[in-house]
């Protein structure tokens, strides 16, 4: 892992944080479909922030999700709860974006935003720890 990977990881984490902020704004405006979309993308950007540390990326969401599952959840680096949150957020976002008759409630969106915040906090701690390890090793 090098400084470029850390910078990209932090940039993606910042994108995730901005998506969470947007999800809150959209929820306050009663735009629940948009809020579901933004909360999913907050989680997705968190996962891509982790992938940046490994120097990998994928063109499809399924590839990003599978890599995270295989290399971070199954290995015990992150609890299975992270995998569950990622999958649920993906499913809700897909349904909200593509199912003509899908109805999403404020409660469901608020739960998804809370899960995105939990996910963000855990990923941020991991990235900070890894970044500190690299930066202290370069001194």
């Amino acid at each position: 892992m090098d400084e470029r990977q850390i910078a990209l990881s932090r940039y993606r984490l910042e994108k995730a944080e901005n998506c969470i902020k947007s999800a809150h704004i959209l929820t306050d405006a009663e735009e629940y479909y948009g809020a579901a979309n933004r909360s999913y993308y907050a989680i997705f950007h968190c996962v891509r922030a982790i992938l940046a540390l490994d120097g990998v990326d994928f063109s499809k969401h399924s590839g990003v999700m599978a890599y995270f599952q295989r290399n971070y959840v199954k290995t015990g680096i992150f609890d299975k709860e992270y995998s569950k949150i990622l999958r649920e957020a993906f499913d809700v976002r897909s349904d909200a974006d593509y199912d003509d008759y899908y109805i999403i409630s404020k409660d469901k969106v608020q739960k998804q935003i809370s899960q995105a915040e939990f996910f963000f906090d855990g990923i941020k701690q991991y990235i900070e720890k890894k970044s500190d390890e690299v930066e202290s090793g370069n001194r």
Side-chain angles (χ1 to χ4, degrees):
M1 179 180 353
D2 62 28
E3 294 294 327
R4 274 186 3 263
Q5 289 168 292
I6 292 170
L8 179 57
S9 179
R10 288 178 175 159
Y11 172 75
R12 289 177 177 172
L13 202 58
E14 185 178 317
K15 285 178 76 171
E17 187 172 30
N18 288 335
C19 285
I20 291 170
K21 289 176 186 174
S22 295
H24 281 290
I25 291 166
L26 289 164
T27 300
D28 291 344
E30 298 182 7
E31 295 289 339
Y32 304 134
Y33 296 99
N37 179 286
R38 293 294 82 203
S39 60
Y40 164 71
Y41 274 99
I43 295 167
F44 181 72
H45 290 310
C46 284
V47 175
R48 288 190 68 230
I50 293 281
L51 271 61
L53 296 178
D54 293 348
V56 298
D57 204 5
F58 299 90
S59 61
K60 296 185 178 221
H61 289 231
S62 59
V64 170
M65 293 165 55
Y67 183 90
F68 179 73
Q69 173 70 21
R70 183 175 56 253
N71 293 286
Y72 287 91
V73 176
K74 284 191 177 179
T75 60
I77 295 171
F78 287 97
D79 188 78
K80 291 178 184 174
E81 183 69 14
Y82 284 81
S83 181
K84 180 182 172 202
I85 290 169
L86 175 59
R87 172 55 55 195
E88 284 179 10
F90 177 80
D91 290 344
V92 168
R93 193 275 310 186
S94 295
D95 290 344
D97 283 356
Y98 302 115
D99 185 348
D100 290 331
Y101 299 106
Y102 183 76
I103 297 172
I104 189 163
S105 68
K106 181 178 183 177
D107 288 341
K108 188 165 197 148
V109 167
Q110 288 175 324
K111 177 184 176 197
Q112 186 161 314
I113 293 169
S114 292
Q115 290 178 327
E117 291 169 330
F118 168 83
F119 201 98
F120 175 84
D121 290 341
I123 298 293
K124 182 178 179 183
Q125 287 177 11
Y126 177 83
I127 289 171
E128 287 174 353
K129 180 181 176 214
K130 288 296 179 184
S131 299
D132 288 347
E133 288 172 5
V134 168
E135 290 168 353
S136 66
N138 291 339
R139 291 182 196 151

